[in-house]
Amino acid sequence: MAPMNQWIKIKAPATVANMVCGFDILGFAVNSPYDEMEMRMVPYVENGPKIIIINIDQYNLPTDPEKNVAGAALNALLLEYEEQFSNTTIAFEVKINKLIKPGSGVGSSAASSAGAVVGANYLLGKPFTNDDLVRFAMNGEKVASGVKHADNIAPCIFGGVTLVRSIFPLEIIALPSPELHVTIVHPQIEVKTSDARSILKHQVLLKDAIKQWGNIAGLVAGLMKKDYDLIGRSLEDVIIEPVRSILIPGFDALKIACKKAGALGGGISGSGPSIFMLSKEKETALAVEAEMIKLYTGLGLAHHTYVTTINEKGVEVIN
Ligand code: ADP
């Protein structure tokens, strides 16, 4: 266990959930952007708070531990720690410097939840497994979107590409990460995760389901075999994307332009509005970025872009 009051630094990466065809089950972590956090254990003072959150960014996120996803995730961890390992109570102080814009669709909430529980586990001497940490961090996702889902949390904690085969009971499978370049554009419009979920249809046609599970299987096989063209062909979503893409201006034109520039494929990142594309070469990823900038500049929409790679480490504790 780390000494009381010793600060640690944490790097929590952004993540791309769904990976086009794997709604709620697939996701991967990227090397940029990432959130920075600092954390320490302090002795619990009777009737005092067990979690103190200090925001050191401009986003004005809640500091109430019930409302900040990091607090909700830490509460779940502390509850189990006190039950299983200790009668003494400890408290955590967490400083969050958010570099991943909340609501952009690249796992800003997951980075805080995952970063907080990985940091706490390190400070406590690692009593919990990665699967436990995912379970705790999902309580943060419930605060952010109303639903416990692990498609951002799992890659944020494990790194690389992950498959959430089941949530109850939790089963996460780390898949081989392809050496691919990732281009992300975040058009500055607001798409609430709750809205992006509520417009989805609750029933699917069998013919669409067949296409979708063919693509998911193709994508997983492509990752296992390092077959990049198979990965590209499998990046197709016939169920969620046709509905959600109407919330993102220029989506169809952007996808066509990026593929023409050489991208293997891509689509909506999480519930949007960010869009990601995968490319074999860095030059292609940069050409894809140029297409993204051209399209959103043409539409007069403010936007950010990132050209990055898949992050294999997940949340990192730096001392
Ligand atoms: P994202 O995909 O960027 O995580 P979400 O819409 O799923 O976007 O989550 C963002 C929501 O979670 C916002 O309403 C934000 O106020 C809330 N939230 C609470 N705490 C945090 C936090 N520490 N980091 C990011 N978002 C947070």
Side-chain angles (χ1 to χ4, degrees):
M1 194 188 278
M4 284 284 164
N5 298 314
Q6 183 193 306
W7 286 101
I8 54 163
K9 286 190 173 151
I10 300 157
K11 247 174 97 169
T15 43
V16 171
N18 301 342
M19 236 178 148
V20 186
C21 51
F23 178 62
D24 271 3
I25 61 166
L26 291 173
F28 63 87
V30 290
N31 280 311
S32 153
Y34 56 85
D35 277 358
E36 292 170 344
M37 299 167 82
E38 282 183 63
M39 211 169 155
R40 67 171 174 171
M41 245 170 359
V42 288
Y44 174 68
V45 185
E46 184 104 20
N47 295 324
K50 283 191 185 171
I51 296 158
I52 302 149
I53 293 174
I54 304 156
N55 292 316
I56 49 171
D57 50 51
Q58 80 273 33
Y59 294 116
N60 264 323
L61 290 168
T63 49
D64 176 351
E66 305 282 326
K67 296 196 179 119
N68 192 301
V69 300
L74 283 175
N75 261 327
L77 177 143
L78 266 181
L79 205 70
E80 208 159 303
Y81 183 75
E82 284 163 14
E83 258 172 39
Q84 281 189 27
F85 297 101
S86 168
N87 296 320
T88 60
T89 316
I90 30 176
F92 288 111
E93 213 174 305
V94 192
K95 289 185 193 165
I96 304 175
N97 182 18
K98 195 145 273 299
L99 304 171
I100 312 168
K101 199 168 185 232
S104 56
V106 286
S108 177
S109 52
S112 286
S113 308
V117 294
V118 172
N121 196 40
Y122 177 90
L123 290 170
L124 292 169
K126 300 201 177 161
F128 295 114
T129 64
N130 275 352
D131 280 7
D132 292 330
L133 298 181
V134 171
R135 224 169 11 87
F136 303 140
M138 279 198 300
N139 289 280
E141 292 298 64
K142 179 125 203 264
V143 169
S145 67
V147 196
K148 276 191 183 179
H149 58 99
D151 48 347
N152 289 103
I153 295 284
C156 197
I157 289 179
F158 282 75
V161 186
T162 54
L163 164 68
V164 183
R165 198 203 62 81
S166 158
I167 291 240
F168 303 114
L170 191 66
E171 185 176 355
I172 295 160
I173 298 148
L175 297 170
S177 302
E179 279 174 26
L180 291 174
H181 297 269
V182 188
T183 317
I184 299 172
V185 62
H186 172 216
Q188 311 265 293
I189 50 160
E190 196 187 349
V191 174
K192 286 213 172 92
T193 303
S194 48
D195 291 345
R197 289 190 93 90
S198 67
I199 60 165
L200 297 178
K201 295 178 193 149
H202 286 264
Q203 291 186 323
V204 296
L205 294 174
L206 184 60
K207 71 174 176 57
D208 289 340
I210 293 167
K211 266 199 173 171
Q212 197 84 355
W213 60 56
N215 281 326
I216 298 167
L219 181 52
V220 173
L223 292 167
M224 310 288 298
K225 293 167 65 167
K226 295 199 188 310
D227 182 337
Y228 295 148
D229 294 323
L230 175 57
I231 292 173
R233 286 197 299 286
S234 306
L235 289 172
E236 180 198 32
D237 173 5
V238 295
I239 295 176
I240 310 292
E241 186 180 284
V243 183
R244 274 197 175 162
S245 56
I246 55 168
L247 300 174
I248 306 172
F251 179 81
D252 291 335
L254 185 81
K255 223 172 130 176
I256 293 168
C258 292
K259 283 198 177 173
K260 219 169 147 194
L264 287 173
I268 305 170
S269 172
S271 55
S274 288
I275 301 164
F276 81 99
M277 287 286 151
L278 295 178
S279 302
K280 276 193 245 182
E281 311 291 340
K282 184 160 186 201
E283 299 77 71
T284 316
L286 290 168
V288 165
E289 181 191 35
E291 291 298 332
M292 291 170 164
I293 293 171
K294 193 165 101 190
L295 189 123
Y296 280 116
T297 307
L299 290 178
L301 212 63
H303 54 275
H304 279 307
T305 53
Y306 300 94
V307 179
T308 182
T309 44
I310 296 183
N311 169 319
E312 302 210 28
K313 292 189 186 153
V315 176
E316 278 178 87
V317 175
I318 310 153
N319 262 320

